[in-house]
Amino acid sequence: MALRPDEFYDHARAAADDELRLPLARMTGWDISPFEADGLRVSALRPPVLPEPRQHGQDPADCDECRSRNEGIWLNERWRLARIPGAGVPLVLMLYPRDHYDMADLPDELAAELGVLTTHIVRHVQALPHISRAHVYRIGDGAAHLHVWFFARPEGQTQLYGSWLPVWDDLLPEYPADVADADATAVADALIASYGGHHSDTDGQMNP
């Protein structure tokens, strides 16, 4: 059984200093870290917040993703794919079920589709010129409607390897939107050819 919230907090506090600051993460010592360790410090630990704040869209009637169910660069009967604007890496896409599900709520049929569809999207992102890898992330703390991130890592940028990529994305200047739009269209075209579905009538851009 996992530690209770108070037990987890006490366990973490035992490793913190008098200001409740933990040591720097091991990740800050990696050569792919976007930060130099000198001058960095960890934010002070805060006690648990219980009950946790409500996620956006816990009530489907208030869910932005449900209201946007017909928007994206690609759609089929059950899924939609959108481009996230303002990214620093070449392309950031988001996959959503069109109906209101979180990952733990997905019926087995949709869960199986998610695996196959994710593989097709990764395949098509990595087929873009000058893209080496497609990273896939599901976090979900902020919204109750399932959303799966796809980040395209640019070729040759080995400093952008691994789990620091979303942080680098936030640090980098905004990638040219016209180039990202063209690449997003190429992914959608390839997805239509390999998996089915169709383009939507919108530009496919969604706010994160």
Side-chain angles (χ1 to χ4, degrees):
M1 180 186 298
L3 297 177
R4 297 191 314 265
D6 59 310
E7 292 174 330
F8 183 91
Y9 179 63
D10 289 343
H11 173 72
R13 282 186 61 179
D17 63 16
D18 292 342
E19 295 182 331
L20 296 182
R21 299 182 191 277
L22 291 165
L24 287 178
R26 292 179 295 277
M27 292 172 62
T28 58
W30 297 353
D31 63 1
I32 58 173
S33 171
F35 306 111
E36 295 180 354
D38 290 346
L40 280 180
R41 66 176 185 171
V42 179
S43 297
L45 280 170
R46 294 191 290 264
V49 176
L50 296 170
E52 291 192 2
R54 284 176 58 85
Q55 292 174 296
H56 171 74
Q58 281 188 312
D59 181 352
D62 298 325
C63 178
D64 289 341
E65 284 73 29
C66 287
R67 285 192 286 269
S68 303
R69 69 186 316 274
N70 297 320
E71 299 177 10
I73 61 171
W74 172 90
L75 300 167
N76 73 3
E77 295 83 359
R78 293 172 293 278
W79 299 92
R80 68 186 183 92
L81 186 67
R83 182 176 84 79
I84 303 300
V89 297
L91 191 62
V92 178
L93 303 176
M94 188 88 82
L95 179 67
Y96 309 82
R98 294 181 71 185
D99 294 331
H100 192 78
Y101 294 107
D102 204 345
M103 180 168 275
D105 308 322
L106 283 178
D108 286 350
E109 180 182 2
L110 266 69
E113 289 180 355
L114 175 60
V116 176
L117 186 53
T118 295
T119 300
H120 279 249
I121 295 168
V122 166
R123 185 178 299 152
H124 301 322
V125 170
Q126 291 185 176
L128 294 169
H130 310 304
I131 299 300
S132 287
R133 299 289 288 177
H135 290 205
V136 183
Y137 303 94
R138 182 267 177 175
I139 303 166
D141 281 333
H145 193 123
L146 174 63
H147 50 292
V148 180
W149 297 82
F150 296 81
F151 281 72
R153 181 176 66 75
E155 181 181 22
Q157 298 297 324
T158 56
Q159 196 175 8
L160 275 59
Y161 274 8
S163 50
W164 279 114
L165 181 62
V167 180
W168 279 110
D169 170 68
D170 201 44
L171 294 168
L172 290 164
E174 183 175 343
Y175 195 80
D178 57 338
V179 181
D181 281 336
D183 282 344
T185 298
V187 170
D189 289 344
L191 194 56
I192 291 168
S194 71
Y195 194 85
H198 56 88
H199 294 285
S200 75
D201 295 330
T202 71
D203 63 6
Q205 294 192 5
M206 301 288 297
N207 290 321

